[in-house]
Structure formats: structure tokens, C-alpha cells
Amino acid sequence: MSICKRILPLLLLLAGCTRYLSVQPQGEVIPSSDEEFAALIHDHLRDIEGGGDAYILGNMETVALFEGCADDLDANIRVGDGLVAYAGEAINSRMSDYREAFEIIRDCNIVIEGLDGRTSETARGALGAAYAMKGILYYNLLREFAGPYNPAEALSDPGIPIVDKVDIEAMPARASMKETAQYAGSMLKKALPFTGNDRRWFFTTALVKAYQARLAFWCEDWDTAAAVAEDIIEHSGLELTPADGYKAMLDVAEPRGEVIARSHINNSSELDWYFSYMKGYIASRPVCAALTQLYEPGDIRLSTSFNARRFNTKAPERRVRLSELYLIAAEAEYHRGEPGKALGYLNDLRRARIADAEDLTEATLKPVRSGDRITEDAARKAITPLLQAILDERRKELYMEGDRFFELKRNGRPEWWVISNGLKYTMKKYLYTAPIYKQDCALNPDMQQNPGYED
Amino acid sequence: MKTKCIFILIIFALLLSGCGYEKLPPKTDSSSQQYVLPKGEIPTEADREALAEIRAEYENYITD
């Protein structure tokens, strides 16, 4: 019995408390006050302003990625330094962006759940920014990790998993493209009552509306895209920056003129050293011949975009500008069967960019070129002279802002090739859509991988 | 009696401290977390000619 007396305490010690496994947060707090929730948002706002954010507004790194994957810079002349030769080289880094985006969505959900119903200025500002960021992230995810949007098949085509609340055990499968688009739209709509012209929370009313226009445009909801873009053009108080202020508008850090928002507005960011390298990488691959041939004499964009050796000279930042809203309005009106309105928006933009520009009319539009990479439009119809003029203007205007890759994806996903290190790599259709994060597919049997990436 | 007591206590202790069921995610460490990049092909003669044309256009552009 004495042995029992000795062994019993020992066994109790062994079988006792297991709290040593309960890890306590060190140096972090579970947010409860308005300011603590707002701090989660400020972390991401600081990333946008410092140029470190690659997932919400994007930054110079994402410009380099998407311009490297597209064809405005010609890898067949010179691949260059630090740029991918084509999108096939970037599938693993793009896949990681999926995970990073959902980490920000998690933070937005924490803030939305924690601050819902609170009325302080801080709470309202943080809530508006959380809704806006979530809406923008879902728009970005839809463009990158789902196929091109086809309204006729959007109810069955796979979109993005909807994560609407904080639940670490939830493993939602992919929603449809239409559900994803509706969810992104609902987040942007919820953001609007909290926004205004105050840039402290970054997401102003004009910026949120611009993303509503972008979302409708991507989803080929031409009526909404035209209505929202025209609302911003008429009521935002912004005007197109004329040619003599064009270069300064692009170069200065703070939003100026027609710029609604841009990445890297903090010109003393800790990442500035990195961006000086990045500019060099981008300027190491020449602009392709097809783009250079689009410029007319007197176009301010010709002297601003690249030098005599066709290396980039435009500040490679992500921007949301009024000119893009003009282009959205023009293309949306074209698809709505309003060519006169489409030409009107196009001519407004051309007058702000080209000295002594002659207004285009249906009679003076150039015939459709042969040999262009884009041969069908977003609605899967043949290119017309008017649409060609709109797409050309967009290509020149949004050059080096990470737009061209998605223009190719939206308009038929053309295939082309590059030769790098003696081997030919083909930009196949499936490469326009990045793979869903591989571990998510391994953990969740209901998670559907994108075509071309199934093991 | 001693042996029986020790045996009961050991069983009791094993039940208390023994391994319980834990809902762990499926093991994925052994699977690759990256995709194999698409492989390149040997360019055809027509590809090489097209490449030479692209480069010649560029050389002409910058020397004009």
C-alpha cells in the first residue's frame, strides 16, 4: 500500500494540468476598443501609402509582375533583369498572393464584426475602409483567380470562396463568379455611407465608386459601368488633367489633378531603396513595336512613356484616374449601342492628351488592323473600328499601370510566345488565370482548382 | 494486492494522460507546395526567323 501512496502523487503530476500547452499572446492584444480595431486597418493603409501593398491597390512590384506577364514590353527583344519572361514563370508567386489577400480579408472581417453598430468617428472610418478593402480584394481575386467573366455562364463558372465572418475552422468552397461579383459589389455599396472626401481613411467616395465602375466593367454589366463612370465624371468635381500637366500628375507622389488614388504616396517609405531597383528592372525590357505605332504626333504620352531606346520612363505605379473612367464609359456605351456617346468620351480624352487633336468621327475611324493580338472583344464579337480606337486609347493611357494583362484576358485571351534562354514558351490561355492556393486545395476536397493546374 | 493496486493505478493514469483524439488537418508536408513551371520547347526555324525580325525592327528603330 505504501507503494501506492508513493506512486499516486507521481501519476497525478503526470496526468495533471495541461495548460502549459495553452499559448498566450505575447505583445499582442485582442482588439476591443475602436482604436484597436482601427489599428488593424491602419496597418494596411500604411502599406498602401508606403508602396508595400501588393494586394489591395497594388504597387510597383505588381506593375512589374503584370507588365512582365503582358506584351507592352517585348521579351523577345530583351527579357531584361528582374522581370518574368511571361506569365508561366509567375504561377507560384501569383498563387501565394491568394493566401495574402485572404489574410487581409480576415482582418477586415475582424474589424467589421467588432465595430458593427459603433458610431464614433474612428469606428465609422475603420468600418468604411474595411468594407472598401474587402470589396476591392474580391474584385482583384475575381480578376486574377477566376476565368474571364462571361455573363451567360457566370452562375456556373467558379469564382472565389466567400469568407464573410471570422471562423478559423470554416473551409468554404468556391462561390460562382456571379455570386463573387455580387459579394464584391455589396461590400463596396456598404462602404459608401462611411466615405466622403477625407483621405485620412484613403477610400474616398470617388475611389469606391471607381471600383464599382471597374467591377461592373469587368463583369460586362455595361449599363451599370456606364452609369457609375458617368456619375463620377459629372459629379466628382475632378477634371481630366490637360497635356501640359500630364507628366507632373504622374510623377508627384500625392494624388494630383485627375488622380483619384495611387500607390506609394509616402515619398519617404522604407521601401524606396527597393523601388529604385524595381524601376531599373522595368526599364530593362524595351517597349514592343505594336504599341509605339499607336501614338500620333503631338501625343504627350509618347514623350512621357519611354525614351529613344524604347525603355520605360513613366513612373510605374498603380493609379485610379479619371481618364480610366472616360475609357470605361466609352467602352460601356459602345456595348450599349451608343456609338455617339462612346466617341464623345474618347474625343474628350484625346483632346486632353494630343496637341491639336482632331476629333474622331465614325467616318474617320481607321479600319481594323490585321495582325493585332486582340481579335475579339469582351462580348466575344469581332473588333470594330470604334472599339479598336477605344482599346488603342486605353492601351496608351494605362500603359505601365498593370492594365494590359487584364485587357488581354478580358478580350479573348490571345496566345503568343516568347523565346528566353533559347527555349520557346507559349502564353497559353489557362495562364491568364492564376492557380488557387495549392494547400487550400489539398485541405479542402471541395475546393476546385483552375483548369491547367490540376495535378 | 500491491500488484493489483499498481496495475489499476497505471491503467487509471494511462487513461488520464493518454493520447486523445485530436482533429488535425490532413498531413500535407509530404506534398509539393509549388507547381512545376511549364516547360519550354525548342523553337522552330520559323520561330527563329520571326524572332530575328522583331530584333531587327528594334535595332532599326533605335538607330534611326
Side-chain angles (χ1 to χ4, degrees):
Chain A
M1 200 60 196
S2 60
I3 294 176
C4 287
K5 281 179 186 170
R6 271 178 258 156
I7 287 178
L8 187 61
L10 187 67
L11 288 173
L12 282 174
L13 274 173
L14 278 174
C17 175
T18 56
R19 286 186 63 193
Y20 68 93
L21 287 173
S22 173
V23 179
Q24 297 301 311
Q26 299 288 323
E28 294 183 7
V29 292
I30 296 168
S32 59
S33 70
D34 293 355
E35 287 71 23
E36 285 164 353
F37 282 111
L40 282 174
I41 297 297
H42 280 299
D43 261 0
H44 299 300
L45 297 186
R46 192 189 61 176
D47 281 348
I48 296 173
E49 291 168 355
D53 157 61
Y55 316 105
I56 306 169
L57 203 67
N59 62 359
M60 206 179 289
E61 200 173 63
T62 56
V63 171
L65 170 67
F66 289 119
E67 295 297 345
C69 292
D71 64 347
D72 277 348
L73 306 179
D74 196 340
N76 277 324
I77 301 172
R78 184 167 179 244
V79 172
D81 307 317
L83 295 177
V84 292
Y86 80 121
E89 282 184 10
I91 54 178
N92 288 314
S93 65
R94 292 183 69 201
M95 179 178 71
S96 302
D97 292 347
Y98 179 90
R99 190 191 66 184
E100 303 285 346
F102 273 103
E103 288 183 3
I104 305 174
I105 288 172
R106 176 205 58 207
D107 285 353
C108 292
N109 284 337
I110 291 171
V111 170
I112 290 167
E113 285 180 22
L115 292 183
D116 190 29
R118 299 196 195 178
T119 55
S120 73
E121 193 186 341
T122 301
R124 288 179 59 79
L127 258 179
Y131 280 125
M133 288 199 299
K134 212 171 146 190
I136 292 168
L137 283 163
Y138 267 98
Y139 161 74
N140 292 339
L141 288 166
L142 185 66
R143 291 207 311 166
E144 290 185 43
F145 297 94
Y149 199 94
N150 179 352
E153 295 168 6
L155 264 175
S156 55
D157 283 345
I160 304 299
I162 305 292
V163 181
D164 197 41
K165 58 182 180 181
V166 182
D167 179 357
I168 59 168
E169 292 189 349
M171 290 198 290
R174 296 176 74 169
S176 72
M177 272 198 206
K178 192 174 180 71
E179 288 167 332
T180 310
Q182 286 173 337
Y183 187 72
S186 72
M187 290 297 110
L188 295 171
K189 194 174 175 186
K190 283 183 178 178
L192 275 178
F194 300 103
T195 61
N197 294 322
D198 187 352
R199 289 186 192 272
R200 275 183 303 171
W201 294 96
F202 197 83
F203 299 96
T204 60
T205 302
L207 179 55
V208 174
K209 284 186 176 178
Y211 270 97
Q212 285 181 319
R214 281 180 166 185
L215 176 65
F217 183 70
W218 182 258
C219 298
E220 300 174 27
D221 178 357
W222 307 119
D223 291 344
T224 305
V228 179
E230 285 160 8
D231 175 35
I232 299 169
I233 291 167
E234 287 167 21
H235 301 116
S236 67
L238 295 165
E239 289 184 356
L240 286 172
T241 301
D244 59 3
Y246 181 77
K247 188 171 185 326
M249 176 261 293
L250 294 174
D251 286 346
V252 293
E254 77 276 9
R256 178 189 286 190
E258 68 181 47
V259 178
I260 297 169
R262 62 160 268 180
S263 56
H264 196 197
I265 60 175
N266 177 358
N267 59 8
S268 59
S269 164
E270 69 268 25
L271 293 170
D272 284 350
W273 66 270
Y274 175 64
F275 294 133
S276 62
Y277 282 104
M278 193 59 71
K279 283 178 188 169
Y281 295 153
I282 291 169
S284 67
R285 182 183 296 176
V287 168
C288 71
L291 175 58
T292 63
Q293 289 157 10
L294 298 182
Y295 295 92
E296 296 168 41
D299 192 328
I300 183 65
R301 294 168 296 194
L302 178 59
S303 57
T304 310
S305 298
F306 48 87
N307 61 20
R309 295 180 64 81
R310 300 207 323 226
F311 290 125
N312 178 64
T313 52
K314 181 176 172 181
E317 297 287 354
R318 298 302 286 267
R319 302 178 184 84
V320 182
R321 296 192 282 132
L322 192 64
S323 56
E324 184 185 343
L325 278 305
Y326 273 78
L327 291 161
I328 288 175
E331 190 169 334
E333 292 293 4
Y334 166 82
H335 285 291
R336 293 178 72 233
E338 297 279 1
K341 285 187 179 176
L343 270 171
Y345 288 116
L346 196 59
N347 285 325
D348 286 344
L349 178 58
R350 286 168 52 82
R351 282 194 292 272
R353 297 291 180 263
I354 306 169
D356 305 321
E358 282 189 23
D359 279 359
L360 296 173
T361 65
E362 290 199 61
T364 60
L365 287 168
K366 290 178 184 167
V368 175
R369 293 181 297 269
S370 61
D372 260 21
R373 197 147 278 164
I374 292 177
T375 56
E376 67 175 67
D377 69 12
R380 290 146 290 280
K381 293 178 182 162
I383 301 294
T384 63
L386 176 53
L387 186 60
Q388 176 179 262
I390 295 169
L391 296 180
D392 286 351
E393 214 56 49
R394 185 177 179 106
R395 190 174 182 185
K396 288 181 283 180
E397 183 66 23
L398 300 180
Y399 158 78
M400 202 45 69
E401 298 190 31
D403 186 67
R404 174 68 176 171
F405 181 78
F406 295 101
E407 278 299 283
L408 294 167
K409 179 171 181 176
R410 199 170 63 86
N411 294 296
R413 292 183 295 167
E415 295 193 348
W416 81 90
W417 51 261
V418 298
I419 293 181
S420 172
N421 289 328
L423 289 175
K424 176 184 168 186
Y425 297 92
T426 302
M427 177 63 194
K428 293 185 177 163
K429 283 187 186 299
Y430 82 91
L431 291 171
Y432 283 97
T433 304
I436 298 288
Y437 192 57
K438 201 173 182 186
Q439 281 90 319
D440 277 14
C441 294
L443 288 170
N444 183 358
D446 295 329
M447 183 66 82
Q448 186 182 348
Q449 184 53 279
N450 286 320
Y453 302 105
E454 301 96 342
D455 281 327
Chain B
M1 183 64 189
K2 253 185 216 171
T3 315
K4 195 176 175 186
C5 183
I6 291 166
F7 183 73
I8 290 168
L9 283 171
I10 287 171
I11 295 292
F12 180 67
L14 282 175
L15 279 173
L16 275 177
S17 63
C19 176
Y21 169 71
E22 285 192 33
K23 193 179 173 186
L24 289 173
K27 188 179 174 186
T28 56
D29 281 357
S30 58
S31 67
S32 166
Q33 298 180 4
Q34 303 273 299
Y35 281 97
V36 177
L37 301 184
K39 287 191 169 51
E41 304 161 17
I42 305 293
T44 63
E45 197 53 41
D47 296 333
R48 290 183 204 281
E49 283 172 16
L51 184 70
E53 275 180 35
I54 291 168
R55 291 184 175 166
E57 181 281 330
Y58 178 68
E59 290 301 322
N60 287 336
Y61 183 97
I62 60 172
T63 50
D64 278 349

